[in-house]
Amino acid sequence: MKRLELIFENEMGGNVTLSLDEPVYPANPVAVSSAMDTIVAQNAFRSAGGDIVAKKAARIVDRTVEDIEI
């Protein structure tokens, strides 16, 4: 399963990761960056380390799970 991870910096300098399952793939870098700018500008989320103050990175994580019959 693919997951979009948006990584931000909070007031204390820590990382805050917002994860979204099953994103549109391939991701549009301009749309992702714009969405992250909006999250920061609107102070949409708060973390234990304070408000989100900057965007740091975004990535698509692909996790494959294979069941083992026991």
Side-chain angles (χ1 to χ4, degrees):
M1 171 180 28
K2 291 188 186 330
R3 173 178 289 169
L4 172 62
E5 293 185 348
L6 307 176
I7 305 166
F8 298 90
E9 182 178 333
N10 64 21
E11 291 176 312
M12 304 269 312
N15 288 342
V16 177
T17 302
L18 301 176
S19 299
L20 304 163
D21 291 336
E22 300 181 25
V24 173
Y25 188 80
N28 178 334
V30 173
V32 171
S33 182
S34 177
M36 292 179 76
D37 287 337
T38 300
I39 289 169
V40 173
Q42 293 186 2
N43 200 21
F45 298 97
R46 184 170 172 84
S47 70
D51 293 340
I52 291 174
V53 296
K55 62 184 181 183
K56 290 187 79 173
R59 61 188 177 195
I60 298 280
V61 176
D62 191 0
R63 180 172 168 236
T64 303
V65 176
E66 183 177 331
D67 291 330
I68 299 171
E69 189 173 323
I70 53 174

